[in-house]
Amino acid sequence: DTGVSQDPRHKITKRGQNVTFRCDPISEHNRLYWYRQTLGQGPEFLTYFQNEAQLEKSRLLSDRFSAERPKGSFSTLEIQRTEQGDSAMYLCASRGGGTGVGTEAFFGQGTRLTVV
Amino acid sequence: GESVGLHLPTLSVQEGDNSIINCAYSNSASDYFIWYKQESGKGPQFIIDIRSNMDKRQGQRVTVLLNKTVKHLSLQIAATQPGDSAVYFCAENPSGQAGTALIFGKGTTLSVSS
């Protein structure tokens, strides 16, 4: 257990439905990241928060995706009007301040989304 | 032990052998690198990290080597065990800044047979 919690672990939804995932980072970590991972690939960056501010978004984050971190603690990732291509593992990671050795990102167990 | 000169998607070794997994990174400005291990159905798990001002760092049974000249990173696992079977990813901090996201390389699936 890394200390990063994600909920739910698995989600099956019908195409066109909206889904929301939650991430609870390690409490003292001010940086939070969302990644998407498809089978056989490495995690792909989606978006990054420092405290409550969303500082970076990937081109992968289409208009149907929105992420929030309202109080600088937990974060939510919502996907609207889901498509089959959204099926993937959605990973959350948190990281403390600074850079370099000892500032690694800790990942949660992920939320596996299946769009049918 | 078995080594991989170029990145290969899979590596099969016998229990007790040493394993070497290679990774090429893309950004010469990257100053921080991490190796992660990912087991099926789980999130990536931190193994070891290294800064660009180092060329070698050792952990428990693992060593990371960094060659900035050719932008190459390797992970050495000593006395590989069946529990080491997983997918291994290298990740880089591309701009050297604290806030940017880690960028992951292609994974290598390590299979350890006993």
Side-chain angles (χ1 to χ4, degrees), chain A residues 2 9 31 33 35 37 41-43 45 48 50 56 89 91 95 98-110 112, chain B residues 31-32 34 36 38 41-46 49-51 54 57 89 93 96-107:
Chain A
T2 63
R9 290 292 310 277
R31 294 182 281 176
Y33 305 85
Y35 285 81
Q37 186 176 28
Q41 302 297 314
F45 169 70
Y48 156 66
Q50 183 163 318
E56 193 175 348
M89 174 80 88
L91 293 162
R95 194 174 177 194
T99 184
V101 166
T103 65
E104 67 272 18
F106 293 87
F107 282 83
Q109 298 286 46
R112 168 76 64 190
Chain B
D31 75 344
Y32 177 56
I34 309 176
Y36 283 93
Q38 188 174 27
K42 296 184 177 181
Q45 177 187 358
F46 169 80
D49 55 2
I50 189 168
R51 287 209 70 165
M54 307 168 73
R57 190 158 186 255
F89 293 98
N93 205 89
Q97 296 175 7
T100 55
L102 295 171
I103 304 301
F104 283 76
K106 297 178 182 179

Side-chain angles (χ1 to χ4, degrees), chain A:
Chain A
D1 182 9
T2 63
V4 179
S5 302
Q6 291 189 247
D7 183 70
R9 290 292 310 277
H10 303 274
K11 178 70 177 179
I12 299 174
T13 191
K14 291 183 178 179
R15 188 175 53 187
Q17 296 294 304
N18 299 342
V19 294
T20 300
F21 310 140
R22 177 180 170 121
C23 172
D24 286 271
I26 294 171
S27 59
E28 61 267 28
H29 284 180
N30 61 342
R31 294 182 281 176
L32 187 147
Y33 305 85
W34 285 99
Y35 285 81
R36 181 176 71 185
Q37 186 176 28
T38 53
L39 199 61
Q41 302 297 314
E44 297 173 295
F45 169 70
L46 291 178
T47 191
Y48 156 66
F49 289 86
Q50 183 163 318
N51 300 311
E52 66 275 11
Q54 188 174 18
L55 297 185
E56 193 175 348
K57 291 195 287 187
S58 160
R59 289 171 298 173
L60 293 175
L61 211 68
S62 76
D63 291 345
R64 297 184 297 105
F65 287 68
S66 62
E68 293 182 344
R69 195 182 182 198
K71 298 180 181 178
S73 56
F74 73 92
S75 176
T76 58
L77 177 69
E78 181 183 16
I79 309 174
Q80 296 182 327
R81 304 181 303 282
T82 52
E83 301 172 356
Q84 287 187 321
D86 297 331
S87 296
M89 174 80 88
Y90 289 84
L91 293 162
C92 175
S94 73
R95 194 174 177 194
T99 184
V101 166
T103 65
E104 67 272 18
F106 293 87
F107 282 83
Q109 298 286 46
T111 294
R112 168 76 64 190
L113 173 66
T114 302
V115 182
V116 298

Side-chain angles (χ1 to χ4, degrees), chain B:
Chain B
E2 182 170 313
S3 66
V4 181
L6 298 173
H7 172 262
L8 291 179
T10 61
L11 176 63
S12 297
V13 300
Q14 291 286 320
E15 181 178 3
D17 283 354
N18 296 330
S19 304
I20 300 177
I21 300 172
N22 294 310
C23 174
Y25 62 93
S26 57
N27 191 326
S28 54
S30 294
D31 75 344
Y32 177 56
F33 307 88
I34 309 176
W35 279 100
Y36 283 93
K37 171 186 179 184
Q38 188 174 27
E39 296 173 306
S40 181
K42 296 184 177 181
Q45 177 187 358
F46 169 80
I47 302 174
I48 191 168
D49 55 2
I50 189 168
R51 287 209 70 165
S52 59
N53 60 354
M54 307 168 73
D55 53 21
K56 180 180 180 179
R57 190 158 186 255
Q58 288 184 291
Q60 192 172 19
R61 283 201 307 118
V62 295
T63 300
V64 54
L65 299 177
L66 175 63
N67 185 331
K68 294 181 289 296
T69 303
V70 295
K71 293 190 289 186
H72 183 267
L73 199 65
S74 69
L75 177 70
Q76 301 178 357
I77 305 174
T80 315
Q81 302 168 0
D84 295 328
S85 295
V87 181
Y88 289 80
F89 293 98
C90 64
E92 62 181 301
N93 205 89
S95 71
Q97 296 175 7
T100 55
L102 295 171
I103 304 301
F104 283 76
K106 297 178 182 179
T108 295
T109 299
L110 176 65
S111 298
V112 183
S113 52
S114 51

